[in-house]
């Protein structure tokens, strides 16, 4: 096989075979195909697409570029969740203990935040001592002990994805449905799961801003899961405003604690319980998503969810006293309130800008090398469809960098549009696909 | 400016500005933009195209990546010719002495053959001693002395083109009209010419096999020449069969000698005289292409063209005795005749396969590192529209590698299709564009 011929084939809009895709991925991973040829191939895929079969073959080639974890020795079903990312999305921290407490294993491998979007690993590492960098042995042993693990991607899992992702990031080939699908699914399938719940975000704070693009991605992800005989449920959910109110790593841990203690209401709770409900259903511990959601509510109300969270934190080396007494956590040097400059009904929120504002305060990173401040972030109150009054507090800002405050305040105020007429709230769960 | 943003812009089908294109080309040439980003950009250009302005800006950025030769000190017009390449195309060797003898300077920078297509430099170097690798000083001094030079690309001229071309070759981004245009025109404009005659080939032995693609390339080349205020005439000419009968480096020098001595007739002579006629017209020594062609005929008939060729060969270090007595040239170890296996009228010739057959005998190269055998090649007699009879000689094969003969014979026989009905000959010059 000849690399240039294969690039040419995709460039001309033709379909590649299983063998051809394997050849490209395995030789690229081995360093036998140089970056400059693979990036030209990636751009051809970006512009000419891949059909369902090609996407499944690409996923498979990336999956088998490394180890596929075998969790057969662990009793019970293993179900994971993947979200395409957004602002304030801390559902993984909430649903993992709930689902594990319901008797379904959650072997979760997560990523870091980049740009406007947060990452589960960064949130977990805001807990002093919490280790996300575990070996394969520890990974299995933690699941065995408590029914869940919250880990980072190990070197053994889908090394092709890591290489391909780095290249996509610098060659303008990120937003491609077959490439996103293969990247997500190769990692998730390598975890040794039986089923997967997908939370595909849509709206101003999502990578896919348009509903139809989110739907296409959800279709591609579920088709690929089916091709690998995995059970899958996909939700398309709103990301036109932050999920919950807390944005920033420790702030999100804090809000998760409050949800797990049953002290919260609203979109974050609703979505978390629906996702955990779907996972419990896929794990065979409920007869429907609805029943799974009811079970989830009971598990939170009984205190079992919070106890399970403490157990996971302890097993992964985290400081449990901080979870029990979050008021002890170090405070940001600066804490300022943002005051509404107009009265009206909230019409739209540029949620991307809200995420970028939090990043500016220190909560995120522009490049993978940037350091983040776990304390920094925003508590953001406005929700589309509600009313705000000039002069009232609409957000709290936390940072160690005083000079950032003014620009962040301006950014947040201009991210919110208000109307004199009543506006309607957004639908949280837009679509549920059970396949 | 941000490289990823610029790749994204082109990927999304938007037009780049002059400054953006300059940024990409100059930073790539300096090694500040890595190959993997530039190849992704090239694929985006391949698939999304470039408009006239962008193509001219790209040409300009590549042109000014190196020195632009100043030939102002040399009296008279400087006119060059560029052909997009094909099989048996040795017109440069014929028209250069004709045009120089007519009093128009020809500062020609040529390339090497690759794949099925031959290159002027390889043909010239088949002449013992002939130096194509000249310094800028020698380049000027040779033109000054004899009105012409036949040289290779120096390091100083359009270094961006060399880098970009190597990358295109291995990333399936060769056949792109804006990229081909900028590559050709940046080199030609750097020569310090006043005008240019373009021979855009079309047909089975050309890079552009379809007439419409050749027309689009001719349009793009002439538009770009106009953007730089250069006089230009473009011909679209047939490449569905070898030009002349001789294919292979020394064989083509031999056929050129015979044309310059007035001993030949046919498509090669017709095209060479039309091209030289156009160059003489652009050089101000004739009032029309037709008059230029008549002048060319007289120059050949008078012996001035052959004398000028001897003068150029001598000035560039070549062994003039070989040109005067070509029968002295070393012979291939193997010389075999190819016998027609059927009777009929020639309908089509797969000219790409004829070029590849010559390469297989040793006359060409697959990669730039391959050595070529100057003696090797084919004398190929069939022309579309003529009749062949089973048993008659249709080609002569020359090689040092006996084991190649059988496969080349099979290749040549299957490259020719014959019909019982009379077939029509092909039109040599399909279009003449004077702009």
């Amino acid at each position: 096989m000849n690399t240039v011929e294969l690039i040419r084939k995709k460039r001309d809009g033709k379909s590649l075979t299983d063998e051809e895709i394997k050849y490209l991925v395995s030789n690229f991973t081995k360093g036998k195909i140089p970056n400059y040829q693979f990036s030209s191939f990636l751009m051809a895929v970006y512009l000419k697409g891949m059909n369902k079969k090609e996407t499944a073959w690409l996923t498979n080639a990336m999956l088998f570029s490394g180890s596929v974890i075998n969790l057969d020795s662990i009793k019970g079903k293993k179900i994971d969740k993947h979200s395409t990312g957004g602002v304030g999305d801390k559902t993984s921290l909430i649903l993992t203990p709930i689902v594990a407490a319901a008797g379904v294993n959650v072997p979760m491998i997560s990523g870091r935040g980049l740009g406007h979007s947060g990452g589960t690993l960064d949130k977990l590492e805001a807990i002093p001592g919490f280790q996300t960098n575990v070996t394969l042995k520890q990974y299995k042993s933690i699941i065995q002990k408590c029914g869940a693990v919250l880990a980072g991607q190990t070197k053994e899992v889908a090394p092709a994805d890591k290489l391909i992702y780095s290249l996509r990031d610098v060659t303008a080939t990120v937003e491609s449905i077959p490439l996103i699908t293969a990247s997500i699914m190769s990692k998730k399938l390598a975890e040794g799961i039986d089923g997967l719940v997908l939370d595909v975000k849509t709206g101003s704070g999502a990578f896919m801003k348009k509903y139809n693009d989110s739907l296409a991605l959800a279709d591609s992800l579920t088709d690929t899961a089916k091709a690998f005989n995995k059970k899958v449920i996909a939700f398309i959910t709103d990301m036109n405003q932050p999920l919950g109110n807390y944005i920033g790593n420790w702030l999100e841990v804090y809000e998760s604690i409050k949800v797990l203690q049953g002290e919260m209401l609203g979109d974050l709770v609703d979505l978390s319980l629906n996702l955990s409900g779907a996972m419990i259903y896929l794990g065979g511990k409920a007869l429907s998503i609805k029943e799974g959601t009811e079970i989830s509510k009971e598990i939170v109300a009984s205190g079992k969810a919070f106890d399970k969270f403490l157990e996971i934190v302890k097993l992964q080396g985290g400081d449990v006293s901080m979870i029990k007494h979050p008021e002890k956590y170090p405070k940001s040097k600066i804490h300022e309130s943002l005051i509404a400059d107009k009265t009206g009904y909230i019409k739209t929120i540029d949620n991307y800008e809200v995420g970028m504002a939090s990043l500016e305060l220190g909560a995120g990173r522009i490049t993978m090398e940037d350091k983040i401040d776990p304390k920094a972030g925003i508590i953001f109150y406005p929700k589309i469809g509600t009313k705000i009054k000039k002069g009232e507090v609409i957000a709290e800002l936390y940072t160690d960098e005083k000079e950032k405050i003014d620009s962040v305040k301006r950014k947040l105020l201009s991210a919110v549009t208000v109307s004199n007429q009543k506006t309607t709230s957004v639908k949280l769960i837009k679509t549920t696909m059970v396949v």
Side-chain angles (χ1 to χ4, degrees), chain A residues 376-393:
Chain A
I378 301 167
I379 307 175
F380 187 81
Y381 300 116
K383 291 282 175 189
I384 295 166
T386 64
K387 199 176 177 180
I388 53 170
K389 276 187 193 156
K390 190 172 171 177
E392 76 178 7
V393 172

Side-chain angles (χ1 to χ4, degrees), chain A residues 1-12 16 23-24 33 36-37 40-41:
Chain A
M1 248 176 271
N2 176 303
T3 306
V4 179
E5 285 302 324
L6 300 182
I7 303 171
R8 184 174 291 131
K9 202 171 166 187
K10 181 45 68 188
R11 180 199 78 184
D12 294 345
L16 298 176
Y23 172 89
L24 288 167
I33 291 176
Y36 58 79
Q37 285 189 318
S40 151
F41 170 69

Side-chain angles (χ1 to χ4, degrees), chain A residues 271-295:
Chain A
L271 182 59
S272 299
L273 298 184
N274 265 281
L275 294 171
S276 63
M279 292 171 79
I280 293 168
Y281 165 61
L282 282 189
K285 299 288 182 184
L287 294 170
S288 65
I289 300 177
K290 198 159 175 276
E291 195 193 350
T293 305
E294 290 308 314
I295 293 172

Side-chain angles (χ1 to χ4, degrees), chain A residues 361-415:
Chain A
L361 294 178
R365 50 170 85 81
I366 294 284
T367 77
M368 270 298 174
E369 288 68 39
D370 293 348
K371 280 251 169 196
I372 58 172
D373 171 6
K375 309 180 303 301
I378 301 167
I379 307 175
F380 187 81
Y381 300 116
K383 291 282 175 189
I384 295 166
T386 64
K387 199 176 177 180
I388 53 170
K389 276 187 193 156
K390 190 172 171 177
E392 76 178 7
V393 172
I394 55 167
E396 309 284 353
L397 278 51
Y398 297 90
T399 186
D400 284 349
E401 297 172 84
K402 187 158 180 53
E403 69 280 12
K404 297 290 173 67
I405 289 284
D406 286 347
S407 100
V408 166
K409 281 185 176 174
R410 275 196 303 276
K411 188 171 268 190
L412 289 174
L413 286 176
S414 64

